[in-house]
């Protein structure tokens, strides 16, 4: 990892070490049956091994901690910590020592030095220590550039640099899907996969909505303890496992009735993910703004405000339709109701609904009945804009379960 400049004798020595937490010691148990030639020799050796767990010597996991033997992996969202030490290996007193640490990424260069002031002098066999921290926010190659400048006791100014290259990897794979409801609600499904080689404790996965929406998390157990997660109390995500999170977004009251505004909103919000690995090392990621495809309502949007879940066969029932003008012009609407094989409308077809300005809506109560039992689709409405002589037909508006009141035979 260390790439130095041209060889030159310097009075100071620079050492850089990454600071990471230790890991639990693992050993490979070797055992055999009692009737084999070694007998209980292997078991005795494991019992005498100080690194094994007493009473569970055959487990691979020990009770000791192991210091890192290599640089290890660094993942996006984690904090990179490094120890920098400059030691005076000479017998001279060195003056005006300035240690500078920069982190070079593909897009920027960051100064990580705790202090930019020079140390007046450094005695022989003395050292200057510094610890730097940086939350990694980019994927790809990173280069830690450590530069040291100093002045000898004879007034000669010297300078050298060392480069430490490392890769930042992606810890999670996040995929999102959007579902637009019949109302203005939006459902977000987030699939999060652990693509590291160690398990993660998912501390928090939340959605920060955009300014036009309120969010409800649908990741808790209904009827359970307050706030109990559907994934249990210990929310571990094993390597290469995937977990699905669901959120419901509703427009804020001040935007709910502005059909033209909500129609064009594509920015939903961003996910905030916090996890812990190994011995409590924390990582955090925030996605960029999530965007959906804007729903195509057309000029007129027809939705249902009220419909019963179950109705009786050949008995009238009420529904309430909401008609919204999503265009930028005023419309003069006429309503036609056309019967189908199973759905029959009650009322006068061809009636005038009046003028509807841009962004406005009206609630329209209607009565109908079904002549066929089972799950039936409500359709057969037609709206006509008499100004432009333009017609809009609506089929498969909703579904209703029709039962026979005498046999109570549901669909």
């Amino acid at each position: 990892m260390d790439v130095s400049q041209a060889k030159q004798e310097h009075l100071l020595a620079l050492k850089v070490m990454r600071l990471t937490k230790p890991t639990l010691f693992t050993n490979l148990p070797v055992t055999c049956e009692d009737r084999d030639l070694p007998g209980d020799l292997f078991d005795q050796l494991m019992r005498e091994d100080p690194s094994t767990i007493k009473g569970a010597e055959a487990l691979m996991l020990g009770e000791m901690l192991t210091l890192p033997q290599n640089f290890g992996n660094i993942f996006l969202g984690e904090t990179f910590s490094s120890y920098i030490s400059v030691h005076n290996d000479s017998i001279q007193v060195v003056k005006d020592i300035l240690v500078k640490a920069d982190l070079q990424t593909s897009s920027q260069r960051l100064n990580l030095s705790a202090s930019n002031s020079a140390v007046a002098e450094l005695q022989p066999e003395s050292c200057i220590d510094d610890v730097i921290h940086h939350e990694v926010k980019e994927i790809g190659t990173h280069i830690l550039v450590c530069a040291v400048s100093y002045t000898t006791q004879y007034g000669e100014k010297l300078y050298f640099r060392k480069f430490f290259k490392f890769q930042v990897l992606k810890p999670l794979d996040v995929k999102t899907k959007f579902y637009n409801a019949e109302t203005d609600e939006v459902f977000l499904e987030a699939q999060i996969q652990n693509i590291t080689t160690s398990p993660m404790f998912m501390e928090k996965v939340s959605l920060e909505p955009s300014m036009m929406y309120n969010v409800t998390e649908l990741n808790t157990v209904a009827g359970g303890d307050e706030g109990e997660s559907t994934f249990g109390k210990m929310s571990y995500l094993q390597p290469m496992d995937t977990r699905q999170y669901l959120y419901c977004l509703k427009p804020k009251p001040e935007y709910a009735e502005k059909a033209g505004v909500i129609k064009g909103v594509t920015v939903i919000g961003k996910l905030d993910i916090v996890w812990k690995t190994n011995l409590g090392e924390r990582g955090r990621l925030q996605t960029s703004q999530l965007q959906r495809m804007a729903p195509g309502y057309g000029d007129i949007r027809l939705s249902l405000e009220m419909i019963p879940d179950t109705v009786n066969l050949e008995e009238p029932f009420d529904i309430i339709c909401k008609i919204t003008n999503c265009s930028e012009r005023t419309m003069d609407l006429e309503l036609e109701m056309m019967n189908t094989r199973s759905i029959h409308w009650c009322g006068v077809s061809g009636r005038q609904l009046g003028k509807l300005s841009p962004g406005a809506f009206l609630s329209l109560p209607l009565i109908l009945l079904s002549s066929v039992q089972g799950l039936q689709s409500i359709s057969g409405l037609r709206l006509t804009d008499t100004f432009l002589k333009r017609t809009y037909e609506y089929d498969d508006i909703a579904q209703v379960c029709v039962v026979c009141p005498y046999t109570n035979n549901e669909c």
Side-chain angles (χ1 to χ4, degrees), residues 221-268:
V221 179
D225 296 336
E226 184 177 355
E228 181 182 353
S229 172
T230 55
F231 309 111
K233 295 181 179 179
M234 302 301 289
S235 184
Y236 284 102
L237 188 59
Q238 298 295 330
M240 304 312 297
D241 280 1
T242 301
R243 182 170 294 167
Q244 294 171 313
Y245 295 85
L246 186 63
Y247 305 90
C248 176
L249 297 106
K250 296 182 179 180
K252 292 181 178 179
E254 57 267 32
Y255 300 107
E257 305 303 334
K258 298 179 180 179
V261 175
I262 292 297
K263 172 186 175 182
V265 173
T266 57
V267 176
I268 297 301

Side-chain angles (χ1 to χ4, degrees), residues 80 101-103 110-115 130-134 144:
F80 169 69
D102 292 342
L103 186 63
L110 303 170
N111 180 21
L112 305 183
S113 301
S115 175
D130 191 12
V131 176
I132 58 175
H133 303 280
H134 174 67
L144 180 63

Side-chain angles (χ1 to χ4, degrees), residues 201-214:
F201 173 73
M202 306 305 291
E203 184 174 303
K204 184 181 76 168
V205 179
S206 61
L207 177 65
E208 297 180 2
S210 62
M211 60 178 294
M212 293 186 180
Y213 285 95
N214 292 320

Side-chain angles (χ1 to χ4, degrees), residues 346-361:
C346 304
V348 179
S349 179
R351 58 174 165 155
Q352 297 290 329
L353 300 180
K355 295 181 180 180
L356 194 63
S357 58
F361 70 94

Side-chain angles (χ1 to χ4, degrees), residues 166-177:
F166 59 92
Q167 296 290 331
V168 174
L169 307 177
K170 184 180 178 182
L172 299 170
D173 186 28
V174 181
K175 298 178 180 178
T176 56
K177 295 180 181 179

Side-chain angles (χ1 to χ4, degrees), residues 26 46 65 139 150 213 253 255 260 280 291 306 359 381:
T26 57
M46 285 193 298
L65 297 177
I139 296 177
Y150 61 95
Y213 285 95
Y255 300 107
Q291 295 190 347
M306 190 277 291
L381 288 182

Side-chain angles (χ1 to χ4, degrees), residues 24 37 77 84 118 142 149 172 190 222 228 278 309 319 328 360 384 408:
L24 291 172
L37 184 61
I84 300 175
H142 288 58
S149 61
L172 299 170
E228 181 182 353
N278 294 336
D309 296 328
I319 66 172
E328 298 180 355
T384 301
N408 197 25

Side-chain angles (χ1 to χ4, degrees), residues 75 78 171 194-201 237-240 275-278 281:
F75 294 100
E78 295 182 343
N194 176 8
I195 57 177
T196 69
T197 57
S198 60
M200 290 181 176
F201 173 73
L237 188 59
Q238 298 295 330
M240 304 312 297
W275 70 92
K276 289 182 179 179
T277 58
N278 294 336
E281 294 175 290

